[in-house]
Amino acid sequence: MEQDTTKLYTFLIYSENVPGLLSQITAVFTRRQVNIESLNVCASSTPGAHKYTVTAYCDERMARILTSQVEKRIDVLQAHFYTDEELFINETALFKLSTPAMMKNREVSSLVRSYDARIIEVNSTYSVVEITCFPDVIISLFDQLKKMDCVLQFVRSGRICITKSRVEHLDEWLAVREAKRKATK
Amino acid sequence: MSEKITGAEALMRALEHEGVDVLFGYPGGSIMPTYDALYDHKKTLNHILVRHEQGAVHAAQGYARVSGKVGCAIVTSGPGATNTVTGIADAMIDSTPMVVICGQVGVAMLGTDAFQEVDVVGVTSPISKWSYQIRRAEDVAWAVARAFYIAKSGRPGPVVLDFAKNAQTGMVEFEPAEVDFIRSYDPDPDLNMTDIERAAKMINNSVKPFVLVGQGVELGNATEELRTFLEKADLPCGTTFMGLSTIPSDHRLNMGILGMHGNLGPNVMTNQCDLLIAVGMRFDDRVTGNLATYAKQAKIIHFDIDHAEFNKNVPVDLKVWGNCKETLAAVTKLLDTSKHTSWIEGFKPYAEKEYEKVIDKALHPTEGPLLMGEVIRKVSEAAHNEGIMVTDVGQNQLMACRYFKFTQKRSVVTSGGLGTMGFGLPAAIGATFGAPDRTVCLFVGDGGLQMTIQELGTIMEQGAPVKIILLNNNFLGNVRQWQEMFFAHRYSFTPMVNPNYELIAKGYGIPAKTVIERKDLDAAIAEMLATPGPYLLQCAIKEEDNVLPMTPPGANIDEMLLEL
Ligand SMILES: Cc1ncc(C[n+]2csc(CCOP(=O)(O)OP(=O)(O)O)c2C)c(N)n1
Ligand SMILES: [Mg+2]
């Protein structure tokens, strides 16, 4: 039997800030039958550059292909893929919980506290709980709250990550490109 | 302060600045301001009115392929733009430099489902190298400069400019823009000398090297560099369909065609060589067959300009990234002058076997109806093997690629990656504009001709000297062959009820003749080539003939069927 080599990979993609790129990037994944698990897009620390954080299950060969096909799009600066060990990872989740249900079952509050989650709003109808942590922890908290029948709404931000590497690949590469621009002139 | 002109006029000047001399197009509401501007530029921008927008893009492709320049098409919004989609996808997969300019509704109307509004950037982004909406007249100069730079640099491809109507009518001070650098895009990577040295060492150490030549060599203007590379180290090669005219058909080191309907020798030897050297080709499934058994015994070096092609289909031992004009030249310097005589001799028995079982029969039948192979070879020779071969798709294409012969570069215009029926006729029109001094021979089937047959009107109007060789077998022959081989002879909707093509051609004022008997063929070909301007030569081809040899889909590439 063939071994299942699929893993959750995180793709960090940097692009110029131009409209229409998001659909180009997602199309690279969907066309190859890879579902995107989570997606976060924001400005990066490099002026003018946007950062996309994409997670998807695939094997390493596919991760390589996806990365190079994304990078091939004209306005994409760089794309890399990582396993969880190579990253600092965080995700934020918000829970909207029923206050009457919480009143009835005291274990809800102690569970929330045991996860170091913060209660950011309480009124007679609902309470809002916020947690920022490793994604698996969020899932485990959700599963337990769900069993207690108190969840009105639940939302996750999708992961955000920072590389553990001591090398800033994007900055180094941009410096090389800048040198080439000068040489072209 | 310079004068203010419209965005449409700015487009004209920007195109002239890019050196455009021919445009293939079709007008309509959203592009009318641009057509109005074109009216004053007729002397410099030769606009060819096609009969359907698909024809415009394929013509631009044909023009680009033979000339090496960027092909240019211009159409209206909505249906005009969607009619170009097939050609854009075709140019993308076959790396053809092209700029397609589509009209678009004004920005105030965008997103309102306005008349003839289509999300052209959304539709074309996945099938183009770059797709951009010009929303202001001020952006015309920059967008056009960037479009041409992207289309022709690196691995070439199609670019779409979606030109909003307000940007066509808006006023702007025009200054031509130059784009020769985009920070996120590196079409001209620096030579990596370590890789060059490793490649040379691997080649010098190889006893049984085999080179796969793709279209990338012509696209990189590196035909001379390839030749020197092959000759210095005595390296036998095979070509893809797209790379057919990179090296003369009769060159001592050209062992023939790779892939499903290629030649026996190169396919067998792919699985016997000790070093496979791929240059400007992308290991298409029609070339490799079953990947699990493809060249497993060999080390593989891949030369390419497109970094995303490395390890995409076939894992390689060494990638040499860059324009092969530079990389090949750099490696060649480090190559030993050597001889691989006995290895090259080893191709011969396969060539002889194929000749005996297939080629001789295809070229020299003595009885029965005409065969495609004999017609194609005769046309090729009558044009002194210096003609441009344009093909449509199907058996006509496979046979033309097998039996047309090449002595000149940039002589192949065929839809390789997409296999677009209907490509041939308009692409041939484009080729006559891209290479006005050469003989353009189109080989087309009875199915494919009817997909873009309206372009006979363009040929009539322009007097475009396309020599149309209609290989009429009264079948969608290629599909029929697969039905015969893999679907128990069940000819589901492949017989073609055909019209009188001679009459149709004559209706367009194009001289035409039909050949049924072998004895009339030579004279008919001579007459076609001697007749100035366009000509349609219909050949009544054996109905149920098959293209052989063939590697069945998914089979190992060295397991070619020579007969059924
Ligand atoms: C636009 C398009 N539709 C369908 C096909 C599938 N197809 C491939 S070859 C072929 C038959 C072509 O018939 P014809 O033009 O008569 O050429 P022949 O094979 O007979 O030489 C068909 C239908 C295609 N390649 N392109
Ligand atoms: Mg046919």
Side-chain angles (χ1 to χ4, degrees):
Chain A
M1 227 188 77
E2 249 177 60
Q3 236 187 320
D4 183 15
T5 48
T6 58
K7 254 202 224 182
L8 185 72
Y9 285 101
T10 300
F11 300 82
L12 299 184
I13 300 158
Y14 294 92
S15 82
E16 301 290 9
N17 180 14
V18 294
L21 215 56
L22 178 60
S23 65
Q24 293 183 41
I25 291 172
T26 55
V28 168
F29 286 75
T30 51
R31 206 190 132 188
R32 293 173 177 79
Q33 308 174 69
V34 178
N35 284 332
I36 290 173
E37 298 291 327
S38 77
L39 171 67
N40 175 284
V41 189
C42 61
S44 78
S45 59
T46 306
H50 260 56
K51 178 169 177 170
Y52 298 70
T53 308
V54 181
T55 61
Y57 284 97
C58 59
D59 62 19
E60 190 183 328
R61 187 179 154 266
M62 180 56 78
R64 249 174 237 295
I65 289 176
L66 292 168
T67 306
S68 49
Q69 292 293 335
V70 165
E71 214 169 61
K72 182 170 163 174
R73 300 310 305 182
I74 299 289
D75 291 304
V76 171
L77 293 160
Q78 275 207 315
H80 297 283
F81 66 96
Y82 301 90
T83 57
D84 285 358
E85 299 75 57
E86 299 168 292
L87 298 167
F88 296 106
I89 300 166
N90 253 335
E91 183 166 333
T92 294
L94 296 175
F95 296 85
K96 189 178 185 184
L97 305 177
S98 152
T99 307
M102 288 175 80
M103 304 287 275
K104 234 193 298 164
N105 184 352
R106 291 275 151 196
E107 277 177 40
V108 174
S109 307
S110 53
L111 181 69
V112 166
R113 254 178 279 122
S114 75
Y115 272 81
D116 273 339
R118 290 198 311 141
I119 297 176
I120 57 175
E121 162 78 21
V122 181
N123 62 41
S124 59
T125 315
Y126 62 83
S127 306
V128 177
V129 169
E130 181 250 70
I131 184 167
T132 296
C133 57
F134 196 77
D136 291 359
V137 179
I138 293 176
I139 296 167
S140 131
L141 175 58
F142 173 69
D143 287 345
Q144 295 187 57
L145 286 171
K146 187 90 196 174
K147 277 190 209 131
M148 296 174 177
D149 214 13
C150 60
V151 181
L152 299 173
Q153 285 183 37
F154 169 54
V155 65
R156 295 168 59 180
S157 65
R159 64 168 58 182
I160 53 172
C161 316
I162 278 186
T163 57
K164 289 182 181 170
S165 161
R166 287 166 194 250
V167 182
E168 298 310 318
H169 291 289
L170 180 67
D171 293 342
E172 288 193 354
W173 182 78
L174 285 176
V176 172
R177 294 298 294 152
E178 188 52 33
K180 191 149 179 176
R181 179 207 296 275
K182 288 199 177 117
T184 312
K185 296 293 156 199
Chain B
M1 201 170 119
S2 62
E3 47 152 2
K4 283 209 165 187
I5 56 171
T6 63
E9 174 65 22
L11 176 73
M12 297 302 117
R13 297 191 193 178
L15 293 177
E16 285 168 0
H17 183 71
E18 294 297 335
V20 174
D21 51 8
V22 187
L23 290 164
F24 301 91
Y26 208 93
S30 297
I31 197 74
M32 280 183 71
T34 297
Y35 267 80
D36 190 61
L38 190 55
Y39 200 67
D40 293 327
H41 289 258
K42 281 193 287 192
K43 286 215 182 74
T44 44
L45 298 171
N46 183 16
H47 176 274
I48 310 302
L49 179 70
V50 293
R51 297 299 184 264
H52 182 290
E53 290 88 352
Q54 185 184 354
V57 262
H58 291 329
Q61 290 182 273
Y63 171 89
R65 290 270 193 92
V66 300
S67 69
K69 296 202 276 185
V70 179
C72 204
I74 181 160
V75 301
T76 192
S77 67
T82 54
N83 276 346
T84 64
V85 165
T86 303
I88 295 168
D90 193 290
M92 184 69 172
I93 200 162
D94 280 347
S95 314
T96 308
M98 175 167 77
V99 172
V100 179
I101 298 154
C102 307
Q104 180 58 284
V105 301
V107 293
M109 305 284 279
L110 284 171
T112 65
D113 298 327
F115 180 64
Q116 296 192 330
E117 183 198 356
V118 162
D119 178 5
V120 169
V121 171
V123 169
T124 58
S125 273
I127 52 166
S128 61
K129 200 170 166 189
W130 186 53
S131 188
Y132 184 75
Q133 188 169 62
I134 305 177
R135 297 179 184 154
R136 310 179 311 160
E138 290 87 329
D139 296 338
V140 169
W142 170 82
V144 170
R146 200 175 199 254
F148 277 80
Y149 173 64
I150 290 173
K152 68 188 173 205
S153 59
R155 177 176 177 178
V159 170
V160 178
L161 292 176
D162 190 32
F163 198 10
K165 199 164 183 178
N166 61 289
Q168 299 174 44
T169 53
M171 302 300 285
V172 65
E173 282 173 38
F174 178 76
E175 183 78 50
E178 304 293 339
V179 172
D180 55 10
F181 184 88
I182 297 173
R183 117 176 137 155
S184 58
Y185 166 65
D186 190 0
D188 187 23
D190 297 331
L191 279 190
N192 179 329
M193 280 319 285
T194 321
D195 291 343
I196 298 284
E197 280 160 23
R198 279 184 63 200
K201 196 164 166 197
M202 284 166 79
I203 297 169
N204 286 336
N205 287 337
S206 165
V207 181
K208 299 188 285 180
F210 186 45
V211 181
L212 313 179
V213 178
Q215 189 200 195
V217 177
E218 267 184 5
L219 290 172
N221 288 316
T223 44
E224 281 312 310
E225 286 76 6
L226 177 84
R227 216 167 146 150
T228 327
F229 169 77
L230 297 175
E231 287 170 357
K232 183 168 182 194
D234 200 32
L235 308 168
C237 73
T239 74
T240 64
F241 279 166
M242 300 297 292
L244 269 175
S245 62
T246 313
I247 172 163
S249 311
D250 283 337
H251 190 283
R252 183 178 68 79
L253 293 168
N254 187 350
M255 298 297 142
I257 308 167
L258 302 163
M260 179 179 274
H261 286 291
N263 297 115
L264 183 61
N267 283 330
V268 169
M269 296 311 235
T270 296
N271 279 2
Q272 291 188 14
C273 64
D274 62 10
L275 180 66
L276 202 61
I277 307 152
V279 189
M281 57 84 75
R282 59 186 177 86
F283 295 104
D284 179 79
D285 57 85
R286 285 293 189 267
V287 161
T288 63
N290 182 11
L291 283 173
T293 59
Y294 183 77
K296 287 295 171 198
Q297 79 296 341
K299 291 250 184 272
I300 304 180
I301 308 178
H302 192 179
F303 290 77
D304 213 288
I305 186 90
D306 179 359
H307 200 274
E309 283 303 332
F310 296 129
N311 297 313
K312 188 187 76 178
N313 294 341
V314 172
V316 299
D317 299 280
L318 177 65
K319 48 189 198 219
V320 184
W321 186 32
N323 184 339
C324 56
K325 193 173 180 70
E326 289 161 29
T327 53
L328 282 178
V331 171
T332 304
K333 274 195 202 140
L334 307 178
L335 289 184
D336 300 335
T337 315
S338 51
K339 283 277 164 220
H340 296 104
T341 314
S342 68
W343 162 239
I344 292 170
E345 284 293 307
F347 285 77
K348 247 199 198 139
Y350 297 105
E352 282 163 6
K353 190 167 164 195
E354 184 183 344
Y355 187 84
E356 184 202 327
K357 296 249 183 209
V358 180
I359 299 174
D360 190 33
K361 290 177 186 159
L363 295 182
H364 311 112
T366 47
E367 48 175 33
L370 289 174
L371 302 182
M372 289 190 188
E374 60 178 321
V375 175
I376 291 159
R377 179 58 63 84
K378 286 204 151 129
V379 171
S380 176
E381 284 172 351
H384 313 293
N385 298 326
E386 288 171 357
I388 289 172
M389 175 198 77
V390 185
T391 82
D392 203 74
V393 166
Q395 293 185 319
N396 58 84
Q397 170 187 38
L398 305 168
M399 289 298 208
C401 289
R402 284 182 58 81
Y403 296 114
F404 203 85
K405 293 182 81 174
F406 301 92
T407 56
Q408 317 276 315
K409 63 183 174 186
R410 291 198 177 275
S411 301
V412 177
V413 183
T414 192
S415 172
L418 206 63
T420 305
M421 281 174 74
F423 172 86
L425 190 64
I429 296 172
T432 63
F433 287 94
D437 300 329
R438 299 185 60 192
T439 307
V440 175
C441 308
L442 164 67
F443 298 96
V444 59
D446 43 317
L449 178 60
Q450 294 185 80
M451 284 214 172
T452 45
I453 197 165
Q454 69 283 349
E455 298 309 333
L456 289 174
T458 312
I459 292 180
M460 169 185 71
E461 182 179 344
Q462 301 294 335
V466 180
K467 308 300 179 189
I468 306 165
I469 299 103
L470 168 59
L471 301 170
N472 189 346
N473 53 11
N474 291 320
F475 269 105
L476 298 175
N478 210 46
V479 179
R480 186 213 57 74
Q481 175 174 348
W482 284 47
Q483 287 170 337
E484 178 184 337
M485 293 175 72
F486 311 120
F487 293 88
H489 271 87
R490 288 154 55 90
Y491 290 170
S492 182
F493 301 100
T494 44
M496 261 276 131
V497 177
N498 275 309
N500 183 329
Y501 289 106
E502 253 188 89
L503 261 183
I504 291 176
K506 285 182 179 152
Y508 282 101
I510 298 170
K513 182 167 248 169
T514 297
V515 184
I516 296 169
E517 295 199 47
R518 183 158 292 117
K519 64 176 172 43
D520 302 326
L521 183 59
D522 287 320
I525 291 172
E527 183 184 318
M528 171 181 75
L529 293 178
T531 307
Y535 195 99
L536 184 134
L537 178 62
Q538 173 173 229
C539 299
I541 298 292
K542 182 176 170 189
E543 292 203 341
E544 297 181 44
D545 202 13
N546 292 318
V547 182
L548 287 168
M550 178 178 189
T551 307
N556 302 337
I557 198 59
D558 54 353
E559 291 172 0
M560 292 197 94
L561 303 174
L562 288 171
E563 52 206 344
L564 293 188

